[in-house]
């Protein structure tokens, strides 16, 4: 079975295989990062936080545990169904496309763990920034946590195989034509599957230019989840605190 690559984020992220491949995604890391982030931002308790492209809600759940009123949204029906098991009065999940405004205002909007830049049409990135802006209260803040493409280019593992739940996922990565592409192929129950994850290879300067167009101000740039200053050559992450 081969999946159409256009709008891959609508299909791949919703397959059971996406959830198997990333089942070991780090909940401890999410907890540590949200703690570090909120200590830095010093957002008053009970403030409203939007986790845009929340996946299965690992950051939303932690932010809520810390005392915030959190809404997590994602396009993946399966992820939201899973996250919804943790819903409470101050923790809600919803299926929503991040390119569209949610129609509610928040004190903080976070977009974490490379949840930006999936779209073939570059204008969709600007639409996402507009939707972030329109979801912010006056003086609200936004956080975008992306990968540092320069570091990744110099340290790219082109091929490897990961065996999870008895499935051998063959991963093939490349950076070309403005995208970081991960081809994922595997066999399961006699069927062959091929998927592709694609994220635009945006660097610091691409983001700066988009923020300028969208009239978004950069307050801080960090390079990892401990909030160390960003160094283009050494940092694994590119984390913006925005206003
Ligand atoms: C790399 S995952 C990160 C998920 C989550 N932030 C985390 O750290 O676990 C990217 C997420 O973006 C979501 N996504 C992709 N396109 C989207 C869109 N247009 N609107 C909302 N979510 C989207 C995917 O379904 C996926 O859950």
């Amino acid at each position: 079975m081969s999946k159409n690559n256009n709008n891959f984020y609508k299909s791949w992220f919703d397959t059971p295989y996406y959830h198997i491949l990333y089942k070991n995604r780090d909940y401890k890391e999410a907890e540590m990062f949200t703690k570090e982030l909120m200590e830095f931002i010093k957002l008053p308790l009970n403030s409203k936080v939007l986790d845009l492209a929340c996946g299965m809600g690992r950051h939303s759940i932690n932010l809520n545990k810390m005392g915030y009123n959190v809404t997590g949204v994602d396009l993946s029906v399966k992820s939201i169904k899973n996250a919804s098991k943790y819903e409470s009065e101050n923790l809600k999940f919803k299926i929503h496309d991040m390119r569209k405004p949610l129609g509610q205002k928040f004190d903080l909007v976070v977009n974490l763990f490379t949840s930006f830049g999936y779209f073939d049409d570059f204008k969709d990135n600007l639409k996402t920034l507009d939707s972030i802006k329109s979801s912010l209260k006056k003086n609200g803040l936004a956080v975008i946590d992306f990968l540092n493409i320069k570091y990744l280019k110099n340290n790219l593992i082109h091929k490897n195989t990961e065996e999870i739940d008895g499935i051998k996922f063959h991963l093939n990565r490349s950076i070309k034509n403005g995208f970081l592409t991960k081809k994922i192929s595997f066999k399961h129950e006699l069927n062959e599957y091929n998927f592709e994850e694609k994220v635009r290879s945006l660097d610091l300067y691409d983001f700066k230019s988009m923020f300028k167009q969208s009239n978004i101000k950069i307050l801080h740039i960090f390079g990892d989840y401990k909030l160390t200053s960003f160094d283009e050559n050494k940092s694994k992450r590119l984390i913006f605190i925005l206003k």
Side-chain angles (χ1 to χ4, degrees), residues 8-10 12-14 18-19 22 25-27 29-30 51-60 73-77 79-80 94-100 110-119 124 128 145 197 225:
F8 77 91
Y9 45 87
K10 284 187 186 154
W12 163 237
F13 286 129
D14 222 19
Y18 166 75
H19 295 279
Y22 292 114
R25 190 164 275 171
D26 204 331
Y27 279 76
E29 181 186 74
D51 185 0
L52 202 59
C54 64
M56 296 213 273
R58 58 189 181 132
H59 298 98
S60 303
V73 300
D74 200 285
L75 200 59
S76 158
V77 178
S79 294
I80 291 299
K94 201 177 162 179
I95 298 160
H96 178 77
D97 190 323
M98 63 182 159
R99 287 167 285 188
K100 296 179 192 150
V110 296
N111 176 267
L112 305 177
F113 201 66
T114 324
S115 297
F116 195 92
Y118 291 127
F119 316 112
D124 283 343
T128 304
D145 157 34
E197 254 178 44
Y225 292 139

Side-chain angles (χ1 to χ4, degrees), residues 156-185:
L156 193 68
I157 299 168
H158 291 275
K159 271 185 184 184
N160 70 318
T161 298
E162 287 178 28
E163 185 165 345
I164 304 163
D165 288 359
I167 303 175
K168 279 188 184 152
F169 291 96
H170 304 288
L171 309 174
N172 206 318
R173 301 174 189 81
S174 61
I175 302 177
K176 56 179 183 223
N177 304 326
F179 282 90
L180 162 67
T181 306
K182 191 196 271 180
K183 291 193 170 148
I184 302 145
S185 53

